[in-house]
Amino acid sequence: VMTNLFFSFSICFFYSVVAGQSVTLPCVIVGYRGMVQWTKDGLALGGERDLPGWARYSLLGDPASGEHSLVIESAELGDDAVYECQATQAGLRSHRAKLTVLVPPSDPIVEGGPVVRLKAHTPHNLTCRASGAKPAAEITWYRDGEVMHSAIYSKSLMEDGKRETAVSLLPMVPEDRDSGRTYTCRVLNPAAPAGRQTSVTINVQHPPSVTLSVQPQTVMEGAKVLFICSASANPEITGYRWSKGGIPISEANGDSLEVTVDHSYFTDPVSCEVSNSVGSTNVSTLVDVQFGPRLLSEPKPLTVDTGMDAAFTCAWTGNPPLTLAWTKQGSSVVLSNGNTLQLKAVTQEDAGTYTCKAIVPRIGVAERDVTLTVNGPPIITADATQQAVKHSKGKLECLVGSSPPPDKIMWTFGDMNLSSGSSGRFSVQTVNSDRGVVSSLILSETLAQDFQMRYNCTAWNRFGTGTVLVTLKEQGGISSTAIVSSAKLIAPFLHIQTTCALATIIYTYLISTLIVQFRDVRVLRLLFSDQYSTFS
């Protein structure tokens, strides 16, 4: 039995030790001579001084002096626990002592190191990871020795429930100028106050930077030009691909292309695509090809009714920029300078051919014609006075040139109406021509009264009626005196210089002319009486 026992613990509440180092947890009991033991997380370690079964554990001090300190050699993570010093026979125990084993972080790992390859202008997080530390490591980033303050820090408990992994993300958008820079990740905790660090070098990679030029830039159609595709890249260029208007040019595979240009190079761009392992870059350019007018949209002929609006459209392209001019055939007046010609409330006088002319300065001119047909009443044209020889065949004509074609054409004269066929000495013929419909009133033999009448040519269609008045004038012939004189003059030559057969032909012609033109027996008698002997 112990009396007047002075029991004192020289033990604090918290201790820490770096893994691998030794630590002593002190315990002093004054005036106690019984058994002393330590517990670890409630587990008794034993009463012997050398603590069998716990190779790295032992009790330190003079028991006679009440010294029972616990020594832990080469502390391990498993030593991290709550300890108590107990005087078992006195039923006393110390305050709990918490031993924390400090574990330094492993060397930091920067993902992608030692050379981190990044794509230019693409956001990226440099990632540094420090594992196995207790407590979790602090992480600091440096760029070429300068502290970076934009990192994002996080930590997580490892499977053993004691150590932690720390991760630091350094956001960046790499530029070409970052290539070759050094980024350092430095980690530390109480177990490694001097810290540890890992450095990486940034290699900023980018798709090819491409410049496409053409020499010369301005050329005439049919000339040769040279396209030059200049590129720089990291990593190295792996290939070139050319196209025109989106269609690959299979025979081109280098950094230049020579072609003979036509007008299509003015609108269809030539492209050069350069590739490397990171990506590809496509650059296009047009050529300032100068060429004359080329028709893009042909004007279409129109047929409209009188009073309606009409519009023609034609489109041209050319380089340098062209000018347009609309005119009507037979007039030099410019009706429009735009692609569209607007005609309001047209009349039959507006019918005809219109010309869309394109002019490219110093290069060339081209034009297209288009026809406007205006439906309306028949338009009839005819000579007001037409001629015929009396007692010979005669003919009167009128032209109906309107649209639509006439349904009927009729000649009216005296008390007669005739649209087709024949009646007595009169007949009507109708012929289609490129100018319209020609109606002819034919007289098999003209008489004196025919030259006294008025002839009316009238035509009808669904829009109305048109008419024109024509008179027939007698055409003068050769006078009898002139024929007789000619006969007298020719007869001697017939006798002297011609054969009998030739004389007979000429003589017969003269006689027939007299009969047809004059039907004058007196003339014949005169000839025969005066010249018959010449032919006998």
Side-chain angles (χ1 to χ4, degrees), residues 120-133:
H121 315 300
T122 301
H124 180 81
N125 291 325
L126 278 180
T127 302
C128 179
R129 191 181 306 275
S131 302

Side-chain angles (χ1 to χ4, degrees), residues 152-489:
I152 301 170
Y153 179 85
S154 65
K155 61 183 179 179
S156 59
L157 200 61
M158 297 178 65
E159 291 182 359
D160 58 24
K162 297 182 179 294
R163 293 177 298 164
E164 294 180 286
T165 296
V167 177
S168 180
L169 305 179
L170 181 63
M172 65 180 302
V173 179
E175 305 288 344
D176 287 341
R177 64 177 179 270
D178 294 321
S179 201
R181 283 183 164 174
T182 299
Y183 283 76
T184 300
C185 174
R186 186 168 185 271
V187 301
L188 58 86
N189 76 348
R196 298 176 178 181
Q197 65 184 39
T198 298
S199 296
V200 295
T201 301
I202 300 299
N203 183 349
V204 179
Q205 299 184 336
H206 55 81
S209 299
V210 181
T211 302
L212 181 58
S213 60
V214 57
Q215 300 174 353
Q217 177 62 39
T218 301
V219 294
M220 292 295 295
E221 188 172 27
K224 286 187 175 182
V225 300
L226 179 65
F227 294 93
I228 300 174
C229 191
S230 303
S232 61
N234 179 31
E236 63 188 14
I237 293 170
T238 56
Y240 293 83
R241 187 168 66 175
W242 293 85
S243 62
K244 173 180 174 284
I247 300 174
I249 304 174
S250 56
E251 64 272 16
N253 53 22
D255 61 359
S256 63
L257 172 67
E258 186 176 45
V259 296
T260 299
V261 297
D262 59 17
H263 67 93
S264 65
Y265 284 81
F266 183 68
T267 53
D268 295 342
V270 171
S271 300
C272 174
E273 183 179 60
V274 187
S275 303
N276 67 358
S277 60
V278 176
S280 61
T281 303
N282 191 310
V283 178
S284 302
T285 188
L286 292 169
V287 183
D288 185 23
V289 182
Q290 297 192 341
F291 58 96
R294 297 186 66 86
L295 187 64
L296 298 179
S297 176
E298 181 115 18
K300 294 178 175 56
L302 290 175
T303 299
V304 298
D305 294 345
T306 301
M308 295 179 61
D309 294 342
F312 294 110
T313 298
C314 75
W316 299 82
T317 182
N319 187 40
L322 53 79
T323 57
L324 284 178
W326 283 92
T327 57
K328 185 180 180 184
Q329 280 192 3
S331 171
S332 60
V333 177
V334 175
L335 304 174
S336 173
N337 293 114
N339 289 341
T340 300
L341 171 63
Q342 294 278 359
L343 299 173
K344 298 291 186 180
V346 298
T347 65
Q348 288 176 286
E349 287 73 20
D350 294 317
T353 300
Y354 292 82
T355 300
C356 177
K357 179 182 289 187
I359 305 167
V360 177
R362 305 184 305 278
I363 305 294
V365 177
E367 60 185 35
R368 280 291 188 279
D369 292 337
V370 64
T371 302
L372 174 63
T373 302
V374 180
N375 292 327
I379 296 177
I380 305 177
T381 57
D383 291 335
T385 301
Q386 302 183 29
Q387 296 184 350
V389 177
K390 187 166 65 174
H391 300 303
S392 68
K393 187 175 182 179
K395 181 169 67 172
L396 296 168
E397 287 184 344
C398 69
L399 172 66
V400 183
S402 58
S403 175
D407 299 321
K408 182 179 180 181
I409 303 175
M410 178 175 288
W411 287 91
T412 302
F413 50 96
D415 57 356
M416 292 190 65
N417 295 316
L418 192 60
S419 60
S420 62
S422 60
S423 177
R425 291 183 297 115
F426 301 94
S427 62
V428 172
Q429 291 182 353
T430 302
V431 178
N432 292 319
S433 72
D434 57 353
R435 297 167 53 219
V437 180
V438 178
S439 180
S440 301
L441 175 64
I442 300 172
L443 294 73
S444 61
E445 180 185 2
T446 58
L447 302 178
Q449 63 267 28
D450 298 331
F451 299 98
Q452 309 302 318
M453 289 191 294
R454 289 172 170 268
Y455 299 85
N456 199 327
C457 176
T458 304
W460 291 264
N461 66 12
R462 60 186 174 90
F463 289 91
T465 304
T467 188
V468 67
L469 193 63
V470 180
T471 58
L472 184 64
K473 179 181 179 181
E474 182 179 354
Q475 181 179 346
I478 304 175
S479 66
S480 59
T481 304
I483 294 177
V484 170
S485 301
S486 297
K488 289 181 178 181
L489 180 64

Side-chain angles (χ1 to χ4, degrees), residues 479-492 494 506-515 518-536:
S479 66
S480 59
T481 304
I483 294 177
V484 170
S485 301
S486 297
K488 289 181 178 181
L489 180 64
I490 293 172
L494 293 174
I506 296 174
Y507 188 77
T508 301
Y509 170 76
L510 291 173
I511 296 301
S512 63
T513 300
L514 290 171
I515 292 173
F518 298 99
R519 302 178 183 269
D520 194 335
V521 177
R522 290 176 300 172
V523 174
L524 297 178
R525 287 176 178 173
L526 179 61
L527 286 172
F528 278 109
S529 62
D530 292 346
Q531 297 298 333
Y532 181 76
S533 59
T534 305
F535 293 93
S536 61

